[in-house]
Structure formats: structure tokens, C-alpha cells
Amino acid sequence: MVVLKSIKIFKLDIALREPFRISFQTFTHLNNVLITLTSTDNISSCGEAAPFKPITGDSREEAIRFLQLAAGRLIGRDIRDLHELHMILSELEHDSGLISQTAKTALDTAFLCLIGKIENKPVFKLLGVSKPNIVKNTLTIGIKSIQDTVRTVKEYMRDFSESGLSRIKLKLAGDSEKDINRVIKVAEVFDGELTLDANQGYVDPEIAARTFNRMYEEIGERIILIEEPCPKGDIDKLKYVKEHSEIPIFADESAATFEDAKKVIEHEAADGINIKLQKAGGIYWGKKIAELANDYNIKLMTGCMLETGISIAAGVNFASAMKGMINTDLDSDLTLPINIVEKPLPFQNGARIPIDKPGLGISLRKEIRDIINGTLSLIPVF
Ligand SMILES: [Mg+2]
């Protein structure tokens, strides 16, 4: 038996180096929740919730409330049965009417890390592979002017040349001409591969498909995929773009939870699914999405919200253990002004690599609670 003794919950706020803009939002801070778990034999692990209501469906307040309620049901339990733990969380959702995918993700991450430490295995091995699959990773550029975009591309090429950077992801604004010009400019400066993310910016699927096909004519197969062209949940529009675009279309916001992803997969409305653990409810649910997608021969990528090295480590372990994973977008920790983990998982040969250490392969910096310099704040709430 490995019994859960305590759960601690903290608000985690980090100012970003520069504002990050996507089609419908600009972020200046990461506003997450950090949890630490300790077992009765004093082994501990951590997890992270990265809520953003329009994408994950929950606010930070809801995530914290869910974690507080979950603590009441989980403390004293044997934590080695992940299925059983998720059943307890599903019951809690049912009883409380409160749903927080990101809180479940934080718990799932911390449970798997703790199980890994007890079994002396890295999380990717717990997921069934003896050697991690190496998947190329993108660095993301938010919506900016062409000039600023090109400047960031050059900075990335300079700062991450030793990491073997070979893919860049560009956020699209939903304005055909501007998007096409910007993508062409980036392709001139950067000779690697590109992924694009419309974040629902194209209301008209015909315009989306036409725009993407013009990009394809200009740049060809160096654009390997485009995420979420149209308003989320509109499966017909998504499927229209998928059927008319030369570039593979991936569902992201439309495939948030297992149930959402199931709908997209069963309608064959996308060529691929972007599994973000924070919207799926953790690796337990992400794996179910991956297995279903594999059955339909639908490709996978793993993305992230604004996450630190903790939640990114969960994504890296997950992505490197799933079949059909062709891309990762696990980069948000690389450009934060502060690291809260001792050693972030490596970015090498263009890929994020899990390491062969028990659990997630990362640990919280010891001095982290002492750092109060305006960049980071860590407030205990439970
Ligand atoms: Mg996306």
C-alpha cells in the first residue's frame, strides 16, 4: 500500500517575458495552480493545473475548489491504482457538479510521478514503452507584425540552434492575406518545418481551405499541419476544411475532452488530434484519446497551455510513449523568465526528451518558495 498523506495547493503566478497573443486573447501572465503530494512514507511529487476557461473549461478558482474537495476524498487512499483514483474524481464531478479538467490533470501528473518513484520507473515506462519515441517539437510564435515575427524567428534560430530547432509554430489571426504573407515571410527566413494554428479564427470554412491551399502552393509540404481552423465544436466546418485542405488539419479546441475527441474521431472530421493533457484531464484520459485515434488511423500531436516544466514533463513523457504521435508543441517552459524545476527536460535534436529517472524526471527547485521578486508568486491556499 502507498497511502496518500497530504495534498498542498499553491497559486502559481509568473509574468511572461512578453505578451503572448492568439486569435482571441492576449496573455501577460501564467496563472496556474501547483500541487504537491506526499505519501505516508514521505515520498513526494508535484503536479500543475493550467486553467484557461475558453480552452480547458475551468477557471483557476474552480480548479482550486475542485482540488480542495478532491483532497478530502483522496487522502488516506492507496494511490497505486490510477483507474480507481480517476473514478473517485468522476464521482466527485458527479456529486459536486464541478468539473475541472486541469485539476484532474494536476492530480494525475502527481499520482503518476509518485507511482514512478515507488516503482523506480520513469513515467514513459509506466505507459508501456521501454525506449521513448523521439518526436520533433515546435517553438510557438504568437500573433505579431511581420517584422516582429521575423525578429522572433531569428532569435529562436540563434537561441535554440544547439537544441536542433527544426520546427516553428505560428499562430494565425484569421485574416487570409495577412496570414499568408506572414507565413511566406517566415518560410523565407527559416528553412525548417512549420505548423500553424488558427485558434478558430476562420469563421468561413471555404475561406480557410482556400487560404491554406494558397499557403501550400507557396510553401508546400514544409507546413506539416494546421490546428483548429473554425469555431470550436462545429464538426461540419472542421470536416469541410479537412476534406478541402492540402495541408493536414488537426482538431484542438474541438477535441478538448475524451468525449469531444471521440466525436471528432468518429466523424473523421480531422486528420489529427492535438491532445493537451490540461484539457483532457491528464495522461489517464489522454491515453484513451490516443488509443481511439489509433483505431481510426488519426494522427496525434501533444500541445500545451501556458505551463511550467512540471506539466511540460508530463506532456513529454506522454508524447514519447504514444503511437501515432507526429509532433509536439511543448515549449511554454523554455521561454519563461524563471524555472521552477531544477532541470527542465532537455530540448535536443529538435525534440523534448524524457529522462530515465523515476517519475517525471524533474524536481521542484528547493528555494522556489523563497523567490518573491515580483516575477513569481507562490501563495499557499490549502
Ligand atoms: Mg492549438
Side-chain angles (χ1 to χ4, degrees), residues 23-24 54-55 172-174 179 196-212 226-245 249-255 264 269-270:
S23 70
F24 60 91
I55 291 183
L172 302 179
D179 284 342
L196 308 176
D197 189 354
N199 284 115
Q200 318 170 50
Y202 286 86
V203 176
D204 184 336
E206 286 182 41
I207 294 176
R210 231 181 294 142
T211 303
F212 301 163
I226 302 179
E227 291 174 51
E228 201 72 22
C230 298
K232 73 170 175 182
D234 195 327
I235 300 293
D236 293 337
K237 285 187 177 178
L238 180 63
K239 189 164 177 157
Y240 178 92
V241 183
K242 176 226 167 186
E243 285 176 349
H244 292 83
S245 164
I249 300 298
F250 274 51
D252 180 358
E253 290 93 317
S254 286
V264 171

